[in-house]
Amino acid sequence: MTPDQTPAPRTDVTFASGGAQCAAWLYLPAGYSPTAPGPIIVMAHGLGGVREERLDAFADRFSAAGYACLVFDYRYFGASGGEPRQLLDVASQRADWKAAVSYARSLPEIDPDRVVVWGTSFSGGHTIVTAADDKRIVAAMAQCPFTDGLASGLTMSPLVSAKVTARAVRDVIASRLGKGPIMIPTYGAPGSTALMTSPDAAAGVQALIPEGASYPKDVAARIALQIPREFPGRKAKDITCPLHVVICERDTVAPPKPTQKHVAKAPNAEIKLYDAGHFDIYVGDWFERSVTEQLDFLTRTVPLA
């Protein structure tokens, strides 16, 4: 296969996970076939995000270079099925990752032993866990990954943390009474009751949304009780495949120092430090740098045949 100059065409596909259908885009560059299977990059978004929020920008570049991509929405989000909507649950999302990797391996055009996992922000943590648990993964990439729930929780002021926790408890009680979820915004202005309230959060999230589009930006509040108990970065030491990690040194959502400490323990880690904020990496010059260095990593660790 030779790298294409334009993104590969994408098709809409679905795969089953947890009794629901997850929607995905499948990019298959020219040259992939059952007699010449190639590698694939499995991709998903961060906290409450959907595919349309700049994941296509990354997949376009990867597929233009000749790599197949599977870009999926978690159940309960975007075009995927599942009820209630906007239910953000760590165990469910990690199960969706396993289902996505399994589906990718089932495709006749794909080499099942050349699956790469790619995650960003909250899904960067899922990428670390997936690569640690599945030794068939050939390479992993995580940008500004969520690695340490306690550190992320401490980015909130005590007052905001108390208000978020109170809403999360109300949501848990409502769910046990059979009522619908009590929602919380994924982002908001500093001091507001939201999951991300750094000064750059609102503008950062809004910059990811295509012009004229609108996506729900709230989630079931119970996730706020899960986040402080999650430490996906601790699994980095168990990753045996090559791992590429981009850390934004001015990240106020996924604190950089704990992330660097965790991922440095991975035997084959390649760590890139950017003088950037958490949301900068999706657009403009920081996007160009990140995607270029990720492609360099891919060509060295998962070369096209």
Side-chain angles (χ1 to χ4, degrees):
M1 290 178 289
T2 58
D4 297 327
Q5 297 302 309
T6 58
R10 76 186 188 202
T11 56
D12 292 318
V13 297
T14 60
F15 59 88
S17 181
Q21 290 293 313
C22 290
W25 294 324
L26 176 63
Y27 296 72
L28 275 180
Y32 277 68
S33 73
T35 57
I40 191 169
I41 306 168
V42 179
M43 307 171 62
H45 220 311
L47 190 82
V50 294
R51 297 170 292 169
E52 290 85 357
E53 294 171 318
R54 293 290 292 173
L55 290 201
D56 50 351
F58 287 91
D60 283 348
R61 294 290 286 272
F62 296 150
S63 66
Y67 291 90
C69 298
L70 181 72
V71 189
F72 72 94
D73 282 336
Y74 298 108
R75 70 183 103 154
Y76 315 123
F77 287 87
S80 293
E83 294 289 342
R85 303 306 295 169
Q86 303 299 110
L87 175 61
L88 205 169
D89 175 71
V90 171
S92 296
Q93 292 197 345
R94 290 189 183 153
D96 293 347
W97 269 97
K98 290 181 180 179
V101 169
S102 179
Y103 172 75
R105 287 182 172 139
S106 75
L107 297 171
E109 301 89 352
I110 299 303
D111 182 342
D113 290 314
R114 302 187 78 203
V115 174
V116 179
V117 289
W118 181 101
T120 184
S121 193
F122 203 64
S123 70
H126 296 329
T127 296
I128 290 170
V129 173
T130 301
D133 291 346
D134 185 343
K135 300 306 181 184
R136 291 180 74 189
I137 296 296
V138 71
M141 295 185 285
Q143 58 176 28
C144 50
F146 164 73
T147 61
D148 192 301
L150 181 59
S152 290
L154 290 174
T155 63
M156 290 184 181
S157 71
L159 178 59
V160 170
S161 179
K163 292 189 293 184
V164 168
T165 299
R167 190 172 299 188
V169 170
R170 288 171 51 209
D171 182 37
V172 170
I173 293 172
S175 69
R176 292 178 179 175
L177 294 175
K179 298 180 179 180
I182 293 174
M183 311 301 282
I184 190 168
T186 53
Y187 70 93
S192 63
T193 305
L195 297 178
M196 295 182 290
T197 58
S198 61
D200 60 342
V205 173
Q206 291 164 7
L208 308 184
I209 300 174
E211 186 176 355
S214 176
Y215 304 104
K217 281 295 156 197
D218 52 2
V219 296
R222 69 197 74 169
I223 185 61
L225 300 181
Q226 293 185 27
I227 289 175
R229 296 182 284 114
E230 291 293 328
F231 296 87
R234 293 176 179 173
K235 299 282 285 186
K237 61 181 174 51
D238 300 322
I239 298 176
T240 55
C241 68
L243 170 65
H244 179 92
V245 183
V246 177
I247 298 175
C248 296
E249 294 182 288
R250 291 186 282 109
D251 196 324
T252 55
V253 175
K257 289 184 178 179
T259 293
Q260 190 170 358
K261 179 180 177 180
H262 286 306
V263 300
K265 296 177 182 178
N268 295 302
E270 177 176 289
I271 301 171
K272 300 290 185 179
L273 301 178
Y274 290 5
D275 181 23
H278 185 81
F279 301 97
D280 295 335
I281 204 163
Y282 300 97
V283 296
D285 291 342
W286 288 115
F287 164 76
E288 291 296 334
R289 175 177 171 180
S290 180
V291 76
T292 298
E293 293 190 340
Q294 289 173 28
L295 280 167
D296 175 68
F297 169 79
L298 286 168
T299 57
R300 288 185 284 108
T301 58
V302 193
L304 295 167

